[in-house]
Structure formats: C-alpha cells, structure tokens
C-alpha cells in the first residue's frame, strides 16, 4: 500500500510541474520573471571596479529586451533600475504574476582571483562546502532588510542549510529547473565559449520562496580580472543575455509551443588564466559532455525495468508522430509518452547514467540539440538528481 501511495505522489508531482510551465492561463502568454540580483545599497560583489548589481541589471535588461520581441512572451522584472528589493519580495513578484519560470542573474566572486567560469543553481540541499558558500553569500543580503529576523524566522543566514529543514522539499519543479539550468549552462559552454562549472543544487532564499521552475545563474567571477572585464563589457553582457534567452525560448517551445528565434551569439575567447581552484564536487546534475568515443547503444533486452531507466527526450509535439527512424533523423528505439497535451518522444534506454550521456551525445549529433536525459522509475518520470543517486 505504501508503495502505491508514493507512486501516486510522483505522478501528481510530475503532472503539476508540467502543467505549470505549459499552462496557457496567462492570457496565452508565457510569463518569465527576471531578477537582477542586489541593488541600491546592496552592491553584491565588487572587484577591480566591477560592481555586481550593475552587471546583473545590464544583463537582465538586455535579456528582457530579447524576450519581449516575442509577442507571446510576457516579461516581469523584479527591478528595472538601481533599487533594493527584499529577497522574499523578488520571489513574491514572480508568484503574484503567476510566472511560468523565474531566472535570477548574479555574478560570482572569490578571494582567489584565479577562479572563473559560469554555474547555474537550482533549489535544493547541498553537502558541498563551495555551493553552500555561494548560497550563504547570496542569502546574506537579508541582513540589510528591516526586521529580517522576524521575517525569515527559523532561518539562520550563517547556515543556509537551515532553509531546507524549515520547509518541505519543493521537488515538483526540480526537473524543469534542472532542464532550464542545463540548457543555460550548455549555451554558456558551447555558444559563448565560457568555462562550464556545471549545474548545482543549493539552498538559495530567493529560489526557496518562488513556486515555479526557477534557477539562479552565476554568470562568472568578477573577482577574476579577465572574466570581470568580459562581464562588464557590452559584448559580454549581450552574449550572456542571448545565451540565457535561447535557453528560455527552448523551454517555452517545448512546453508552451512557439518557435525558437535564431540569436546571433558570439563566442568569446575562452579566458584561460591559471585556475587552481578545486572543481565543485557536487556535480551530480547534467553537465555538458563531449565524448569522443563512438556511442555504444544498449539493446532493449539489456535494460532492467525494475531499476531506474534513463531515456533521451528528443522533442515534444502536440501532434502525434509515428515512432520510426525516418521521423527522427535516423535514430531508432524511439518511444513516446503523452503528458499535459504533449507527445514527448524519447530515444534509447539504459540503466546506466554514464551510458545515457553517450545516448545524449548521439541524439545531439543527429541534430537534436536541445535533447536531454529523462530518468524513469516504474515508468514514472523522476528527477535526475534522485536517479543518479539511486543508480550508483
Ligand atoms: Zn549576487
């Protein structure tokens, strides 16, 4: 009986998450809430004359301008100028406006000025000291708010993990948050040529309070002179904005319909200063892989369906497509699921997360650039995080 209940819970959670992004209640518009981190007396990080609050706002305004060109997108800003908005209010702006997704933009900084690269966070618990340090730094701004101790009762800014114990997990939006985060990191890596530090989970207050798929982007380290200069430049801001916009348009196309406009994203010269900072250890989430070996595709019979099964989602469509190779650029072993009005087409299946990354590379090489890994347990979609943990 117990297992039936949890099974049902997973089904409901998945349906909720999908309906959130795909619902067309917002006057047929896809609502994106954009959050430029910090503002006014809260400067965020500041190094070499580069000020985080200014860079965040510049990127957000450029990103918003790109998104607004699509009449089916409605952009909501938490701030459009140099003002101080409390963390909980940023999330509430997204909640009140029934945003389909929430994107918070920040810049990273480290005493070690060699550190560089982009990383994107989704809400969750982290055991990694480096991820917790980033969350702690970003959450600390609540100390500038009046009555923060009453307002954020139960939360200790010096221990960001206290955020999790104070609440129930918000698992239902995790899949799509990870999907958006992965697309953003993928674009930073492949389209803008930045160092990809991966997708991570950490307890950010601003993400904790928002109830929709949501991510926090650390665009790069302004403490690194080369990366700071890039992020502070018109060109750098423009390309980072386009990379995030492309990821948002792809999410919208998948769950909400519409086209992905072609954005002219320019590759930067990859900053290659000596970087001796240890790589974050909690890279349990999908990171862009570039396997050079020929992908080995497992056969159907090699899959144990009592274990977690990884498949590759190629695309979603509101019309039914026959599951045959010629309809999928020659890829075979196509299956489909019907969810929230969309047929989702999946390629391959394997019990191994490592093997699924090879399948993903194969799908991408066949032109399914925005394909991603979807894990199932007992035929029900589960989060990648959970899947990777249980398949170890
Ligand atoms: Zn910040």
């Amino acid at each position: 009986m117990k297992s039936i209940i949890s099974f049902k819970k997973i089904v409901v959670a998945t349906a909720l998450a999908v309906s959130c992004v795909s619902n067309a209640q917002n006057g047929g518009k896809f609502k994106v809430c954009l959050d430029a981190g910090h503002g006014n007396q809260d400067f965020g990080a500041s190094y070499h004359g580069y000020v985080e609050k200014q860079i965040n706002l510049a990127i957000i305004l450029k990103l918003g301008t790109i998104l607004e060109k699509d009449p089916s997108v409605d952009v909501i800003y938490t701030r459009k100028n140099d003002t101080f908005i409390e963390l909980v209010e940023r999330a509430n702006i997204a909640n009140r406006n029934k945003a389909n997704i929430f994107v918070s933009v920040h810049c990273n900084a480290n005493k070690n000025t060699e550190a560089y690269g982009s990383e994107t966070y989704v809400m969750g618990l982290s055991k990694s000291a480096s991820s917790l340090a980033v969350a702690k730094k970003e959450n600390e701004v609540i100390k500038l708010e009046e009555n923060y101790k009453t307002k954020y009762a139960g939360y200790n800014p010096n221990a960001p993990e206290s955020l999790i114990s104070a609440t129930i997990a918000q698992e239902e939006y995790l899949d799509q948050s990870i999907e958006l985060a992965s697309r953003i990191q993928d674009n930073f890596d492949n389209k803008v040529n930045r160092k990809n530090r991966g997708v991570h989970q950490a307890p950010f207050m601003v993400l904790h309070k928002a109830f929709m798929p949501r991510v926090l982007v650390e665009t790069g380290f302004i403490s690194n002179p080369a990366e700071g200069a890039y992020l502070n430049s018109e060109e750098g801001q423009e390309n980072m904005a386009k990379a995030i916009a492309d990821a948002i348009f792809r999410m919208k196309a998948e769950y909400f319909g519409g086209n992905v406009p072609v954005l002219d994203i320019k590759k930067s010269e990859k900053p290659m200063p000596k970087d001796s900072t240890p790589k974050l250890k909690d890279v349990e989430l999908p990171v862009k892989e570039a396997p050079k070996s020929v992908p080995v595709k497992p056969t159907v019979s090699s899959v144990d369906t009592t274990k977690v099964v990884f498949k590759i989602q190629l695309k979603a469509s509101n019309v039914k497509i026959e599951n045959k190779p010629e309809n999928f650029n020659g890829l075979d072993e196509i299956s489909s699921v019907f969810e929230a009005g969309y047929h989702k087409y999946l390629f391959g299946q394997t019990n191994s997360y490592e093997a699924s990354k090879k399948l993903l590379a194969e799908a991408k090489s066949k032109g399914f650039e925005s394909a991603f890994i979807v894990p199932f347990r007992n035929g029900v979609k589960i989060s990648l995080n959970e899947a990777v943990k249980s398949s170890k």
Side-chain angles (χ1 to χ4, degrees):
M1 197 61 203
K2 209 177 167 195
S3 66
I4 294 172
I5 291 167
S6 57
F7 183 83
K8 258 190 186 165
K9 263 190 191 161
I10 296 168
V11 175
V12 171
T14 308
L16 265 179
V18 172
S19 68
C20 174
V21 168
S22 63
N23 88 50
Q25 286 168 10
N26 296 332
K29 294 223 181 188
F30 186 73
K31 291 196 169 191
V32 181
C33 184
L34 298 181
D35 176 47
H38 313 278
N40 199 16
Q41 74 270 34
D42 169 20
F43 280 55
S46 183
Y47 276 81
H48 321 294
Y50 310 133
V51 181
E52 186 193 348
K53 64 168 186 173
Q54 292 168 356
I55 295 174
N56 297 343
L57 182 61
I59 293 174
I60 283 290
L61 293 178
K62 287 179 165 68
L63 170 57
T65 305
I66 299 165
L67 296 174
E68 281 165 352
K69 285 187 184 139
D70 183 334
S72 63
V73 176
D74 196 359
V75 182
I76 299 116
Y77 299 85
T78 56
R79 68 177 181 104
K80 284 191 93 170
N81 47 41
D82 190 22
T83 46
F84 181 76
I85 313 283
E86 298 182 347
L87 281 188
V88 66
E89 176 58 12
R90 292 167 189 264
N92 283 339
I93 290 171
N95 294 334
R96 279 199 302 271
N97 284 284
K98 298 188 167 53
N100 293 96
I101 54 172
F102 176 80
V103 178
S104 186
V105 164
H106 288 256
C107 298
N108 219 333
N110 197 299
K111 282 197 289 288
N112 176 353
T113 57
E114 288 173 1
Y116 67 101
S118 314
E119 54 201 38
T120 298
Y121 286 87
V122 298
M123 180 63 198
L125 191 54
S126 175
K127 285 194 181 74
S128 143
S130 43
S131 286
L132 284 172
V134 176
K136 186 182 161 192
K137 180 167 61 69
E138 300 293 8
N139 291 346
E140 235 157 30
V141 304
I142 65 166
K143 290 181 179 170
L144 298 174
E145 300 178 15
E146 276 172 35
N147 306 321
Y148 84 87
K149 281 182 181 154
T150 334
K151 222 181 314 166
Y152 300 94
Y155 173 68
N156 172 4
N158 296 318
E161 56 277 24
S162 63
L163 201 57
I164 298 285
S165 51
T167 181
I168 49 158
Q170 295 157 18
E171 272 276 327
E172 64 262 48
Y173 304 115
L174 189 60
D175 279 3
Q176 288 169 327
S177 301
I178 292 172
E179 188 184 336
L180 178 61
S182 305
R183 288 177 192 274
I184 290 171
Q185 280 304 123
D186 236 37
N187 282 355
F188 285 160
D189 189 347
N190 298 319
K191 296 192 163 129
V192 198
N193 216 19
R194 307 307 298 175
K195 178 179 170 182
N196 184 356
R197 292 171 63 95
V199 173
H200 306 273
Q201 267 186 306
F204 287 91
M205 179 64 80
V206 71
L207 298 182
H208 167 56
K209 296 282 183 181
F211 302 105
M212 69 273 313
R214 58 213 186 276
V215 297
L216 186 144
V217 185
E218 294 283 358
T219 50
F221 287 75
I222 56 172
S223 45
N224 177 298
E227 193 151 76
Y230 180 74
L231 293 171
N232 200 48
S233 72
E234 192 71 23
E235 192 204 327
Q237 292 163 0
E238 189 71 40
N239 287 305
M240 296 306 270
K242 283 176 178 169
I244 302 170
D246 180 85
I248 293 173
F249 280 129
R250 286 177 197 279
M251 281 292 282
K252 174 181 170 284
E254 184 188 342
Y255 292 101
F256 201 81
N259 298 319
V260 179
V262 179
L263 301 172
D264 177 28
I265 305 174
K266 287 198 176 58
K267 284 196 174 182
S268 61
E269 271 177 48
K270 215 166 208 163
M272 297 305 272
K274 197 167 136 271
D275 180 6
S276 57
T277 51
K279 252 203 122 180
L280 295 183
K281 292 217 171 64
D282 60 337
V283 193
E284 74 274 52
L285 301 171
V287 200
K288 167 73 189 148
E289 289 277 312
K292 296 280 177 286
S293 57
V294 179
V296 183
K297 199 164 31 152
T299 61
V300 179
S301 57
S302 70
V303 171
D304 180 349
T305 53
T306 63
K307 292 183 181 156
V308 172
V309 177
F310 296 90
K311 297 185 177 194
I312 308 303
Q313 184 168 320
L314 301 174
K315 60 173 167 182
S317 167
N318 47 11
V319 293
K320 181 99 182 90
I321 305 166
E322 210 184 318
N323 297 359
K324 51 184 186 182
E326 46 269 53
N327 291 337
F328 294 90
N329 301 351
L331 292 172
D332 55 8
E333 229 187 283
I334 301 291
S335 55
S336 58
V337 289
F338 188 70
E339 254 180 7
Y342 284 86
H343 300 276
K344 301 196 170 172
Y345 294 93
L346 303 142
F347 157 61
Q349 54 179 350
T350 170
N351 293 124
S352 148
Y353 178 50
E354 286 309 309
S356 74
K357 290 195 237 176
K358 289 180 180 165
L359 290 174
L360 178 63
E362 188 180 352
K364 290 193 175 190
S365 74
K366 290 281 170 73
F368 294 97
E369 230 194 276
S370 58
F372 56 96
I373 299 168
V374 185
F376 292 86
R377 185 185 284 132
N378 300 324
V380 178
K381 214 192 246 186
I382 58 169
S383 79
L384 194 54
N385 199 19
E386 189 186 340
V388 171
K389 268 185 207 148
S390 63
S391 71
K392 262 176 196 156

